[in-house]
Amino acid sequence: MMAEIRVNGVSLHYEARGEGPGVVLVHGSWSDADSWARVMPGLAESTTVVAYDRRGHSRSEDPLTQGSVYEDAADLAGLIDGLGLAPAFVCGNSYGSLITLRLAAARPDLLRGIAVHEPPGAGILLADPELRPVATALADRITAVRELLEQAESAAAAELFVETVTFGPGAWAQLPAPVRHTYVRNAPTYLDELRDPDALDLDLTALARFTEPALLTQSDNSPPMYGEVLDIIDLTLAKVERHLYPGAGHAPHLSQPEEWVRVVLPRALA
């Protein structure tokens, strides 16, 4: 079922499949709900799984105002509430992981567990002098992407982001044409994220109060920064499992969908 729901003053496009306990999928930057298409059938066999376009992305409403990660977390809360999915198991990828973690800190009552893959939480690395260069290196690569976005060079910015920030050299040409189109279409939303001073940060004190299970995952061929971020989150949360995907990159739900379902589904049903 594809539909729309109005939360926090915006209309969000979503797709729901299956029956059972609620599972919500939160996409990362540049992307949309379609990025979860390869894993939804496996989840729908035993859960009610929902994927949605975040505000401003693809088929969801764009309020044309400066957004914030707080709005994204509030939208996710409104979606779970509005669809009667609480307590839900929420899975986030990349920037969607930061939104998921913010919801865990702000509204733990809505969740029975979370799974997050490689949150780009560079902000929490800045507090540690030894890790600050890792965050700075990421910031330098993002600056080049931002310069292209400021010049409305959406296609060039999307390609540079894919090849220098997330997936690596040569990855842009390997992405299916519809995925590349989605990245270019949603390019302005990434500039919006870059203008949000809190976008890549987390309130670790609030997050420490989340007591439900959390699955933290990364891939062995992704930049080491993600592991550093997950190590800090690991020390913050009460109930943590870690999983390392071999060769899956920054989006294992795309590159290894069957393995992703095998890893995530048991936790979603626990």
Side-chain angles (χ1 to χ4, degrees), residues 35-123:
S35 65
W36 299 104
R38 294 183 179 182
V39 298
M40 287 191 73
L43 294 176
E45 291 179 4
S46 48
T47 73
T48 298
V49 57
V50 173
Y52 71 105
D53 294 350
R54 289 166 36 217
R55 65 165 58 205
H57 291 71
S58 296
R59 295 148 295 196
S60 286
E61 183 180 354
D62 185 353
L64 300 177
T65 57
Q66 172 61 44
S68 75
V69 69
Y70 301 104
E71 286 180 337
D72 275 313
D75 289 349
L76 177 55
L79 179 79
I80 293 171
D81 243 345
L83 296 180
L85 298 173
F89 189 89
V90 176
C91 307
N93 188 78
S94 191
Y95 192 74
S97 291
L98 290 178
I99 295 168
T100 301
L101 290 163
R102 282 195 175 273
L103 182 66
R107 291 292 309 276
D109 57 298
L110 294 177
L111 302 171
R112 67 175 187 276
I114 59 174
V116 296
H117 184 76
E118 298 187 347

Side-chain angles (χ1 to χ4, degrees), residues 96-177:
S97 291
L98 290 178
I99 295 168
T100 301
L101 290 163
R102 282 195 175 273
L103 182 66
R107 291 292 309 276
D109 57 298
L110 294 177
L111 302 171
R112 67 175 187 276
I114 59 174
V116 296
H117 184 76
E118 298 187 347
I124 64 176
L125 300 181
L126 295 174
D128 187 332
E130 293 186 3
L131 296 178
R132 197 172 297 144
V134 178
T136 302
L138 174 67
D140 290 343
R141 295 194 298 273
I142 289 177
T143 295
V145 176
R146 180 170 185 162
E147 289 174 354
L148 290 172
L149 290 172
E150 297 279 10
Q151 298 165 18
E153 297 286 348
S154 295
E159 181 174 353
L160 188 64
F161 177 82
V162 165
E163 302 213 344
T164 65
V165 179
T166 53
F167 296 109
W172 180 253
Q174 297 176 19
L175 291 176

Side-chain angles (χ1 to χ4, degrees), residues 185-268:
R185 176 183 181 181
N186 288 327
T189 64
Y190 187 64
L191 183 58
D192 194 66
E193 290 171 11
L194 294 178
R195 290 169 173 168
D196 175 8
D198 296 326
L200 302 183
D201 205 357
L202 281 172
D203 183 345
L204 296 177
T205 301
L207 186 60
R209 295 192 285 268
F210 182 70
T211 58
E212 300 301 326
L215 174 64
L216 311 181
T217 68
Q218 64 190 103
S219 297
D220 61 5
N221 59 338
S222 288
M225 183 206 77
Y226 297 117
E228 302 285 3
V229 171
L230 289 174
D231 287 345
I232 294 173
I233 295 170
D234 191 339
L235 293 173
T236 301
L237 293 171
K239 297 178 184 177
V240 172
E241 281 188 86
R242 297 286 290 266
H243 181 79
L244 184 67
Y245 290 102
H250 194 51
H253 59 293
L254 289 172
S255 62
Q256 298 180 9
E258 292 182 358
E259 176 67 6
W260 187 94
V261 172
R262 186 193 68 78
V263 171
V264 172
L265 184 57
R267 279 79 177 183

Side-chain angles (χ1 to χ4, degrees), residues 3-18:
E4 292 187 352
I5 183 172
R6 193 156 189 86
V7 299
N8 300 321
V10 297
S11 181
L12 301 180
H13 167 91
Y14 73 92
E15 179 179 354
R17 296 191 193 181

